[in-house]
Amino acid sequence: CVTSDVQAACQDTTVTQELLQEGFHRDLLVKVELGVDAGGCSVAARTRLPPGIYVDPYELAMLQQHNLTKAVLIPDVVDVEAPEYSATGVVLVLPLEVEPRCSRCFRAAVPVHARYHRPARGSLEASVRLEGPEVLLCCCHGHLAAECWEPVEVGAPCLAERNVPCQWHSTTHRPAQEELVLEVPVGLREHSSLVCAVTLLTTLLCASLILAATCRHGHFS
């Protein structure tokens, strides 16, 4: 009975995530409702972004300069031009802000971008699956229940109170959905020959027009 009570108490934290907007450029919104009072604590979500989706580090740096986010990428070097099949996943640590009317509710959003995928056969979309984030808590007062929260290495600083470094803790949570699926438009392999032919003809035509204009209006010594 004691074990069941502990498990029930530790699973009160819920987390949801949404992808806002449409197309390749989205906003990832994370919302957390804690089962404990987080007064004086820093709350964050740690999520592993698969190769098919990324955060632009240059865009993130601009948002940080304007104090619009404190998100951290691990590693902080991301090839924004790489397609999905040659990219690697990254870890996003997203600090959350408390909601005005709910002291246990936290949320934050960050821009994310879908990568280009290989053409598929018989399908116009590829699925990018985003696992539910891990909820992190950093409290200097040390009042977290040991059976619910355990120390973890995060790779991002925590300054919960008066800029004093503190230890991050992690808990199991009850996700609203197991994973988030982003459908990315892709080309059809059946169209590859047609696309190559049209691209080649367009390139030759443009090159011919540039050469003709150069010969007609150019000045040669």
Side-chain angles (χ1 to χ4, degrees):
C1 294
V2 175
T3 302
S4 299
D5 292 341
V6 169
Q7 289 178 347
C10 295
Q11 293 177 355
D12 286 340
T13 297
T14 60
V15 57
T16 60
Q17 56 182 357
E18 303 174 39
L19 282 170
L20 310 179
Q21 321 299 338
E22 298 292 336
F24 279 80
H25 309 289
R26 305 289 193 94
D27 286 333
L28 176 62
L29 173 63
V30 179
K31 296 186 288 186
V32 169
E33 184 175 353
L34 296 176
V36 296
D37 185 7
C41 300
S42 293
V43 182
R46 179 168 62 177
T47 184
R48 289 167 175 79
L49 301 180
I53 191 172
Y54 70 95
V55 173
D56 187 335
Y58 306 103
E59 182 180 25
L60 187 61
M62 183 182 65
L63 294 174
Q64 292 169 342
Q65 289 177 358
H66 290 83
N67 294 323
L68 297 177
T69 185
K70 296 180 181 178
V72 175
L73 284 177
I74 306 172
D76 59 358
V77 178
V78 177
D79 186 353
V80 299
E81 302 294 338
E84 179 271 340
Y85 48 85
S86 63
T88 56
V90 298
V91 174
L92 172 67
V93 179
L94 182 62
L96 308 177
E97 298 291 338
V98 64
E99 296 189 15
R101 298 182 180 180
C102 178
S103 61
R104 296 186 177 185
C105 302
F106 298 80
R107 62 187 293 158
V110 66
V112 296
H113 310 275
R115 294 188 183 274
Y116 290 105
H117 288 59
R118 292 184 187 275
R121 188 176 299 279
S123 176
L124 292 174
E125 292 182 333
S127 297
V128 178
R129 300 186 179 277
L130 188 61
E131 297 180 357
E134 178 185 11
V135 178
L136 303 172
L137 212 60
C138 184
C139 303
C140 290
H141 52 59
H143 294 164
L144 295 176
E147 65 271 16
C148 299
W149 300 85
E150 59 180 10
V152 291
E153 294 297 328
V154 175
C158 170
L159 303 174
E161 295 176 348
R162 300 179 182 177
N163 291 331
V164 177
C166 302
Q167 171 67 53
W168 284 106
H169 290 75
S170 174
T171 183
T172 56
H173 59 269
R174 185 175 66 249
Q177 69 269 357
E178 291 298 326
E179 60 183 9
L180 194 60
V181 180
L182 171 63
E183 300 294 344
V184 181
V186 298
L188 287 174
R189 290 186 181 180
E190 294 87 339
H191 296 166
S192 58
S193 298
L194 177 61
V195 171
C196 290
V198 172
T199 302
L200 178 59
L201 291 175
T202 303
T203 303
L204 291 175
L205 176 61
C206 292
S208 300
L209 292 175
I210 293 173
L211 181 60
T214 302
C215 293
R216 179 177 300 177
H217 303 289
H219 298 282
F220 303 96
S221 56

